[in-house]
Amino acid sequence: MARATLIAVPIGLVIVVPALFLGAVCLVPLEQAPGIQEMLSILPPKLEGYTAQQGLFDLLTNTLFSLFFLMIPLMASAVSASCIFVGKKNAVP
């Protein structure tokens, strides 16, 4: 069970979640979505000429998805630690 979790969590955080976000950026009409312009206002000044899709793509890839890579070691260590504690509890008669 722990091995499957240690494999599934990184795959989900690196492949599945970014694919869903990027698919939504490509398919949803962003000009009609509320709050997009406020979110794009935090982009650096050198990216002012971007369209809404390009700006949101840049914001997601450079800001949000990098945090997913940092979450992988945290999730792996939490799963390993929980399996150790559960294994100790089940091992005691």
Side-chain angles (χ1 to χ4, degrees), residues 7-78:
I7 293 172
V9 169
I11 288 174
L13 287 175
V14 173
I15 297 172
V16 176
V17 174
L20 291 174
F21 276 112
L22 295 177
V25 167
C26 292
L27 298 176
V28 173
L30 297 176
E31 290 76 20
Q32 299 173 357
I36 293 295
Q37 293 305 321
E38 290 83 13
M39 200 169 12
L40 293 176
S41 67
I42 66 173
L43 287 175
K46 66 178 183 178
L47 304 177
E48 285 180 1
Y50 280 12
T51 65
Q53 282 185 333
Q54 291 172 336
L56 197 53
F57 184 83
D58 184 79
L59 186 67
L60 287 173
T61 55
N62 292 332
T63 307
L64 183 67
F65 295 157
S66 60
L67 297 176
F68 289 158
F69 289 109
L70 293 175
M71 286 175 53
I72 292 171
L74 295 173
M75 296 292 287
S77 63

